[in-house]
Amino acid sequence: AATDTSDMYSKVTDPTLSASHLQDLPGFTRSVYERDHALITPESQVFSPLPGWLNTLAAYMITPAMGAHFTMYLATMAGNSSSAEPPSGIERFVFIVKGETTLTADLPQGTATLKVDEFAYIPPGSKHTFSTSHSATLVVFERRYSKGGDGAPKLFTGRTNQQPNLETPGEVFDLRKLLPATPTYDFNIHVMDFQPGEYLNVKEVHYNQHGLLLLEGRGIYRLADKWYPVQAGDVIWMAPFVPQWYAALGKTRSRYILYKDTARDPL
Ligand code: UGY
Ligand code: MN
């Protein structure tokens, strides 16, 4: 009997590695883990319960086991969920990626509703709870606070699009800083925007560490001597002194959120 051979070679014109089928390829991931950098893409993120948190699953993307001095995790809060506090001496920064959450803390009104693109900084030892009756996805950065400057860091909330667009001499990207750039704070969170075709002018090599989440767009990230295609949802860890460079591609803006330690003597 005649067999229908019309689809026999269909993978030639509809290959498994085409963008729409990447997830179907068994054993394939764009994630990499190197000595001085990592790329962690959504298909390899593993979520599990966060100790003390209710109805919340989290995936740690960056931890000291890699050599970082901070943690970065994505937390997905379901209905009737609430957070636990970090260990003593740890400061916390929370940025809302999806949904909304209520922060109960030492705030003038007692609580604040945080929506997408809004954030909160919690200094060490400050009592607080994030909760939601709907759902929310948060990106969280934590580290052991290192004292410096005058005065103690203060709890605050904010909204990215209310932060001023800062001058970046020699660079083209738009930069917003979500924490005060004063010696009281030992890190900052940058939000950086690139239009398609724009790229970092400085081929950066520096002592600071980074944790990055690409919020929008796509492009090529250079890390050490490798060039990675990246897209929204990807996470990058950069160790001190790893050569780093980004170029935005495609038709839409690239925006990323970036942890950077600042204002402390490296010794
Ligand atoms: O401030 C920074 O170090 C930033 N420009 N780095 C980066 O985007 N990889
Ligand atoms: Mn950098």
Side-chain angles (χ1 to χ4, degrees), residues 136-160:
T137 302
L138 322 174
V139 54
V140 185
F141 299 91
E142 292 174 357
R143 66 167 287 184
R144 186 164 298 283
Y145 178 65
S146 147
K147 217 177 146 19
D150 314 322
K154 291 195 177 40
L155 190 148
F156 61 86
T157 63
R159 179 190 293 247
T160 304

Side-chain angles (χ1 to χ4, degrees), residues 47-253:
F47 287 78
S48 45
L50 261 184
W53 294 51
L54 297 179
N55 287 331
T56 302
L57 294 174
Y60 276 97
M61 308 287 167
I62 300 176
T63 77
M66 292 166 144
H69 68 202
F70 67 99
T71 60
M72 174 179 178
Y73 54 95
L74 278 176
T76 56
M77 303 184 80
N80 298 317
S81 54
S82 58
S83 65
E85 278 166 22
S88 126
I90 303 297
E91 55 188 333
R92 170 179 275 174
F93 182 88
V94 173
F95 180 90
I96 317 306
V97 173
K98 192 175 169 190
E100 63 177 66
T101 177
T102 302
L103 170 61
T104 306
D106 185 12
L107 289 159
Q109 323 81 331
T111 65
T113 304
L114 298 179
K115 300 196 165 120
V116 173
D117 215 35
E118 297 183 313
F119 55 84
Y121 168 80
I122 319 282
S126 190
K127 291 249 160 298
H128 70 282
T129 314
F130 290 93
S131 57
T132 180
S133 45
H134 305 285
S135 67
T137 302
L138 322 174
V139 54
V140 185
F141 299 91
E142 292 174 357
R143 66 167 287 184
R144 186 164 298 283
Y145 178 65
S146 147
K147 217 177 146 19
D150 314 322
K154 291 195 177 40
L155 190 148
F156 61 86
T157 63
R159 179 190 293 247
T160 304
N161 68 10
Q162 283 174 353
Q163 298 301 112
N165 193 352
L166 303 173
E167 289 297 321
T168 52
E171 294 286 2
V172 291
F173 58 82
D174 282 353
L175 171 65
R176 290 177 176 79
K177 293 190 181 186
L178 305 190
L179 271 73
T182 65
T184 303
Y185 297 88
D186 58 359
F187 72 95
N188 215 312
I189 300 291
H190 295 186
V191 173
M192 295 172 54
D193 296 340
F194 299 80
Q195 298 307 319
E198 291 183 344
Y199 53 88
L200 275 176
N201 182 36
V202 179
K203 285 65 71 174
E204 297 180 12
V205 177
H206 53 60
Y207 78 93
N208 319 74
Q209 315 189 3
H210 286 318
L212 179 157
L213 171 65
L214 192 55
L215 293 167
E216 292 179 72
R218 49 179 52 189
I220 303 280
Y221 227 103
R222 176 186 176 169
L223 298 164
D225 57 0
K226 303 216 165 86
W227 279 256
Y228 299 102
V230 292
Q231 61 185 350
D234 290 353
V235 169
I236 293 173
W237 165 60
M238 291 174 246
F241 298 104
V242 69
Q244 57 199 255
W245 177 86
Y246 182 62
L249 298 172
K251 291 199 186 298
T252 58
R253 128 180 128 172

